[in-house]
Amino acid sequence: MPLSRKQTEREARKKLILNSALRVFKTKGLEHATMDEIAIEADFGKATLYYYFKSKEEIFNTILLNGWITLWDGIEDVVILKNTPRRKFIKIIKKLIELVNEDRALYEFLFFAPQSHPSSGEGEPEWKQYQVRLTNTMHKLIELGIEAGEFPNIDSQITLKALGSIFHGMVLMGKDRENITEEEVDELFTKFLKKNK
């Protein structure tokens, strides 16, 4: 069922607020950003912001939630494909890089903001479940790859953390690149595994 004109306008305003907040958070950080600054950046009155979001923390968590849902939805087709664990792992990394390249500002924020602002003691934010689901999927693929003899028998948690660093490097250092091939992902992956045998 298509959205009504009013719903479409509402979604457009929310998106504008979130994009504006992202710019403010990137320059000021969550601690120092204010709802006033987000309102000015979005060119809305503060009352409009409070109509959509009750606090800057809610905006922060919504940005992270939307980003992690997009990543999870983006790899879902690859996860359900019949493939070897190694091929699937490489295809997922490639797909993640493609998604990140579509909105680099969002994903740089997504990967680094939670480290600078860990969640409060009020229970885990909703975005965390998607982050954990993605991490668990990659962890399971490494374990299955070890069982199948496709990866060397190294601790899968350490392997996952190290591969996460490689992923960040491939994404953030490849700013001038349009994309990366599966062969390049596989080559980097193979070099890492050989080094850690």
Side-chain angles (χ1 to χ4, degrees), residues 100 104 107-108 111-112 167-175:
V100 167
R104 188 175 292 281
Y107 289 105
E108 286 177 4
F111 296 135
F112 298 113
F167 171 72
H168 283 166
M170 285 163 59
V171 168
L172 302 178
M173 286 187 264
K175 288 185 180 185

Side-chain angles (χ1 to χ4, degrees), residues 99-132:
L99 289 166
V100 167
N101 280 334
E102 287 173 17
D103 193 345
R104 188 175 292 281
L106 170 64
Y107 289 105
E108 286 177 4
F109 180 78
L110 190 77
F111 296 135
F112 298 113
Q115 295 165 15
S116 62
H117 184 77
S119 53
S120 64
E122 300 169 8
E124 293 289 2
E126 193 181 351
W127 60 265
K128 192 81 176 160
Q129 68 179 297
Y130 292 94
Q131 182 191 49
V132 168

Side-chain angles (χ1 to χ4, degrees), residues 181-195:
T181 66
E182 276 185 40
E183 290 72 28
E184 289 171 309
V185 175
D186 199 4
E187 188 183 331
L188 277 167
F189 189 49
T190 302
K191 280 181 187 170
F192 165 77
L193 292 174
K194 279 181 183 166
K195 205 185 286 185

Side-chain angles (χ1 to χ4, degrees), residues 25-185:
F25 290 146
K26 283 188 82 169
T27 56
K28 299 268 187 159
L30 179 65
E31 297 281 318
H32 302 290
T34 66
M35 289 294 266
D36 284 324
E37 289 167 323
I38 296 168
I40 290 165
E41 185 71 29
D43 201 22
F44 286 135
K46 203 157 83 165
T48 304
L49 255 65
Y50 281 109
Y51 176 79
Y52 291 102
F53 301 99
K54 65 180 180 191
S55 65
K56 66 179 181 179
E57 288 77 16
E58 184 182 358
I59 296 173
F60 179 86
N61 285 323
T62 302
I63 292 169
L64 293 174
L65 177 63
N66 291 348
W68 283 106
I69 287 174
T70 301
L71 285 183
W72 178 255
D73 288 349
I75 67 160
E76 197 171 7
D77 288 345
V78 182
V79 170
I80 61 172
L81 277 178
K82 283 201 170 199
N83 226 322
T84 66
R86 184 185 176 108
R87 280 268 55 90
K88 196 178 281 196
F89 187 93
I90 286 163
K91 283 180 179 294
I92 288 172
I93 294 286
K94 183 182 184 314
K95 183 64 180 176
L96 288 172
I97 290 169
E98 287 171 3
L99 289 166
V100 167
N101 280 334
E102 287 173 17
D103 193 345
R104 188 175 292 281
L106 170 64
Y107 289 105
E108 286 177 4
F109 180 78
L110 190 77
F111 296 135
F112 298 113
Q115 295 165 15
S116 62
H117 184 77
S119 53
S120 64
E122 300 169 8
E124 293 289 2
E126 193 181 351
W127 60 265
K128 192 81 176 160
Q129 68 179 297
Y130 292 94
Q131 182 191 49
V132 168
R133 194 184 302 176
L134 197 148
T135 304
N136 287 347
T137 298
M138 301 304 274
H139 184 245
K140 188 65 183 169
L141 283 172
I142 291 170
E143 287 182 339
L144 292 170
I146 290 169
E147 283 173 28
E150 295 181 325
F151 305 150
N153 193 2
I154 338 172
D155 181 274
S156 57
Q157 282 289 8
I158 292 169
T159 304
L160 184 61
K161 281 184 181 171
L163 288 169
S165 298
I166 289 174
F167 171 72
H168 283 166
M170 285 163 59
V171 168
L172 302 178
M173 286 187 264
K175 288 185 180 185
D176 300 329
R177 296 202 42 180
E178 186 74 17
N179 223 323
I180 192 161
T181 66
E182 276 185 40
E183 290 72 28
E184 289 171 309
V185 175

